[in-house]
Amino acid sequence: MENEVMYDYMLVIHPDAQTLQDVSIFRHLISEELGMDQAAFSQAHIALFRSEFPEKYEADFTGMLEEMVQEQSAFTIYTSRIDHSKQGERHMFYVNVANPKPVEELHRKILRTFELKPGTFKPHMALVRSVNTQQFNRLAPYFANKMFVRSFHCHSFSLVRKPAGGQRYELVREFRFGRDNASEHPLFNHAA
């Protein structure tokens, strides 16, 4: 029997350089307050899809995505504030996507491509995941009613992977949208 190499694959939208830098400032504050290593944080992103499968299916997976993105139009993503959620005993702080519809539609297209049924999906950029209640209470005063108003052009998404159970994702490839029309009137302008 052949020993198959399993990978954890994820499709992500990466924000522009300015938004990445601004998120990293908040993550630095979090790491200082909680005594966490800054290296524990992944690059800021909006996750679209995640699955674990053998490497031998990667070419088929990317081929199906390449076909799908040819009809995808570019769009602008707007953020508005920092929010939090709780799952069980763990908490997460994240940047809220103010206009979730284009990201939700892209997520649905990806699921349809792989003949999967959509579930609950809330586009966001995690600042910190899986903090306990004590850590949450230490961070909450910093983020209560904190605005994070940014915008960036989304013209692609990336496929990243790591060995199943591995620590760091590596870029496999970027999928540029076939209809990359820049937004003529972004709500917020800033240099990248």
Side-chain angles (χ1 to χ4, degrees), residues 44-117:
H45 64 272
I46 299 171
L48 293 167
F49 179 79
R50 187 174 180 186
S51 183
E52 193 172 293
F53 54 86
E55 183 180 26
K56 69 181 182 181
Y57 297 116
E58 185 178 300
D60 293 336
F61 184 77
T62 57
M64 293 169 78
L65 289 170
E66 191 60 55
E67 194 174 307
M68 189 228 39
V69 296
Q70 294 311 307
E71 296 301 314
Q72 176 64 42
S73 296
F75 54 89
T76 301
I77 294 176
Y78 302 98
T79 62
S80 61
R81 60 189 167 87
I82 295 176
D83 209 341
H84 62 87
S85 64
K86 182 178 181 185
Q87 293 180 335
E89 295 300 313
R90 307 306 279 179
H91 302 264
M92 174 174 70
F93 284 96
Y94 61 89
V95 174
N96 191 29
V97 173
N99 64 326
K101 294 227 181 292
V103 181
E104 290 169 345
E105 182 54 34
L106 178 57
H107 171 73
R108 278 191 292 276
K109 285 179 183 176
I110 291 166
L111 293 181
R112 278 195 304 264
T113 298
F114 299 115
E115 299 177 2
L116 299 170
K117 293 187 180 190

Side-chain angles (χ1 to χ4, degrees), residues 150-181:
R150 309 289 188 279
S151 68
F152 57 92
H153 183 65
C154 179
H155 55 82
S156 67
F157 60 78
S158 298
L159 174 63
V160 296
R161 75 177 191 180
K162 65 180 180 179
Q167 294 297 313
R168 290 302 231 187
Y169 283 100
E170 63 182 5
L171 177 66
V172 174
R173 75 179 284 189
E174 182 179 12
F175 294 89
R176 293 189 67 79
F177 300 160
R179 298 181 178 172
D180 184 10
N181 301 322

Side-chain angles (χ1 to χ4, degrees), residues 117-131:
K117 293 187 180 190
T120 305
F121 176 70
K122 180 179 172 100
H124 65 277
M125 276 186 288
L127 293 175
V128 64
R129 299 180 190 279
S130 198
V131 294

